[in-house]
Amino acid sequence: MTTTARRVGARRAPLLLAAGLCLLAGLDAALVLLELPAPVTSDRLPTVHGVLLVLGFVGTLVALERAVALGGRWPYLAPACLGAGGLALLTPVDLTAARLALVAGCAVLVALYTRFWQRQPSAALVAQGAGAVSALGAALLWLGGLDVPRLLPWLAAFLVLTIAGERLELARVGALAPTAEQTFLGVVGAVMAGVVTTLLWPSTGSLLLGAALLALVAWLVVHDVARRLLRSTGLPRFTAACLIVGYGWLGLAGLLWLLFGPVADGTRYDAVVHAVFLGFVMSMIMAHAPVILPAVLRRPLPYHPAMAVAAWLLHLSLALRVLVGDLRDVTWAWRLGGALNIAAVLLFVLSAAASSVTARRRAARRAPAPDSPGTPDSPGTPDSPGTPDHLRNPR
């Protein structure tokens, strides 16, 4: 890796650090909500838990990835504002300032997709852009005083459509039929219609959203390249397994919305929230981290079996929490499952960090002098079948 590449990665590291701090604070808030001992306790943390993790943590990661792909300086305003807004939620400052920063970050993210569209329009960008609009809608509604449970469909659509758009990019590699893309766009439209309708007619909107999510899951299971990778080994198999199991959790969330309508509190709300954001979103983050983070930070992150241990711990503990704790109303299973959810996320973070550090040390022992001829300007992580097109050659 050249000195230039290291400097580029170092400039992006503070944004990743902001996202990481939002993650840790969100996990701390989760302990408080589970009524378990937590390192930090405050009245604010539990109330901002959801927004902190969705916009502060994942939102910053998504915006940083897009900024890297687009290039230039101004795109980094998106992850900077989202990260700053997430961190501001942890301070005593008025919540309005944090909410404004999150609105600004989401607005810049929408602008990023506009620039991508000008470069090369695609159905995948329609889905990802719709996700960014959902994030902006959630941030504006929260700024306007709407409570977080009412924002749930908007926050879910942000990440679900963003991820679905990325998976469409990869499905197109396998010669996707034109009718499949049209069906995909129809499902995206149905998801957005359901999200908007939940504000005016919550029962109707929830039914539409649930049905649309089930249709989206069906489309992804049929067309995603992940199905063909389950018999492989190493990173491809790990990625495929995380994707397929994640689709199952998203399907469960859609089914709960379809059967029970609006969920604003209680065990069903907990089940839907964590099926989407832990079972689906966190599983997708685990699946793509060994590919996307090296492209963003210019640091190696090779796959290690400990990552699979963390992923399976996440899904097994989530099954205990949701299927037993929430849906059967068993308090000890809900609490134990929640505690193990947190342990699984932390285990993955530690495993990834250890894998990256070990790989860098090995590379340093083998590498020639910095900036010498033949030194690659990348972390040396090859593209995998899970690499989105816009990150195969990041700027």
Side-chain angles (χ1 to χ4, degrees):
M1 185 189 304
T2 66
T3 303
T4 301
R6 285 194 294 268
R7 288 175 179 172
V8 170
R11 287 197 297 268
R12 298 167 183 168
L15 298 172
L16 187 65
L17 177 61
L21 291 174
C22 289
L23 172 63
L24 293 177
L27 295 179
D28 183 275
L31 288 172
V32 176
L33 290 168
L34 288 166
E35 301 175 358
L36 294 172
V40 179
T41 56
S42 73
D43 294 334
R44 174 181 287 193
L45 265 181
T47 63
V48 300
H49 168 68
V51 176
L52 181 65
L53 287 175
V54 176
L55 296 182
F57 168 51
V58 188
T60 301
L61 293 181
V62 170
L64 178 57
E65 177 193 345
R66 298 305 183 265
V68 170
L70 189 59
R73 293 185 178 181
W74 73 266
Y76 286 91
L77 286 173
C81 289
L82 287 167
L87 293 179
L89 293 174
L90 308 179
T91 68
V93 301
D94 189 82
L95 276 178
T96 302
R99 290 172 175 175
L100 285 171
L102 293 174
V103 168
C106 292
V108 178
L109 182 59
V110 172
L112 294 188
Y113 283 114
T114 302
R115 291 296 298 273
F116 280 120
W117 182 265
Q118 292 170 349
R119 286 185 176 183
Q120 187 176 4
S122 69
L125 278 178
V126 171
Q128 294 171 29
V133 170
S134 297
L136 179 58
L140 287 170
L141 291 169
W142 199 43
L143 177 64
L146 207 66
D147 59 353
V148 173
R150 293 289 303 279
L151 301 178
L152 176 60
W154 296 80
L155 295 171
F158 164 42
L159 298 180
V160 168
L161 294 180
T162 297
I163 294 167
E166 288 192 346
R167 299 314 302 174
L168 173 60
E169 288 182 356
L170 296 170
R172 292 175 65 187
V173 175
L176 194 65
T179 55
E181 285 200 15
Q182 294 170 5
T183 302
F184 178 85
L185 289 175
V187 173
V188 170
V191 170
M192 290 300 295
V195 168
V196 174
T197 305
T198 57
L199 284 181
L200 303 175
W201 303 284
S203 296
T204 302
S206 297
L207 293 175
L208 177 56
L209 179 59
L213 289 179
L214 287 173
L216 180 60
V217 168
W219 190 96
L220 290 168
V221 170
V222 170
H223 297 289
D224 200 314
V225 296
R227 288 187 305 117
R228 299 194 293 271
L229 299 176
L230 282 174
R231 295 183 180 180
S232 57
T233 59
L235 176 59
R237 183 176 183 176
F238 168 73
T239 300
C242 287
L243 291 169
I244 297 299
V245 177
Y247 295 153
W249 285 113
L250 182 60
L252 175 62
L255 184 63
L256 292 174
W257 258 316
L258 182 65
L259 294 178
F260 301 113
V263 287
D265 54 31
T267 56
R268 288 175 184 168
Y269 175 76
D270 189 83
V272 169
V273 166
H274 294 94
V276 173
F277 296 112
L278 275 181
F280 177 69
V281 175
M282 187 56 69
S283 187
M284 299 298 143
I285 291 174
M286 290 179 172
H288 293 99
V291 173
I292 291 179
L293 288 183
V296 170
L297 289 179
R298 304 293 182 91
R299 295 290 189 274
L301 180 54
Y303 166 73
H304 190 279
M307 297 179 184
V309 173
W312 286 115
L313 176 60
L314 174 71
H315 292 297
L316 291 173
S317 61
L318 189 59
L320 177 64
R321 175 180 186 157
V322 172
L323 302 181
V324 181
D326 288 327
L327 299 185
R328 297 181 65 86
D329 200 17
V330 179
T331 301
W332 70 263
W334 166 74
R335 186 168 288 119
L336 177 59
L340 292 175
N341 293 161
I342 296 169
V345 174
L346 291 175
L347 176 60
F348 184 84
V349 171
L350 293 174
S351 300
S355 178
S356 180
V357 170
T358 301
R360 285 180 62 189
R361 289 176 177 172
R362 290 175 179 171
R365 288 196 295 266
R366 295 194 304 263
D371 294 326
S372 65
T375 303
D377 187 27
S378 72
T381 301
D383 292 331
S384 80
T387 310
D389 291 343
H390 61 272
L391 280 179
R392 289 186 181 271
N393 292 292
R395 297 190 177 189

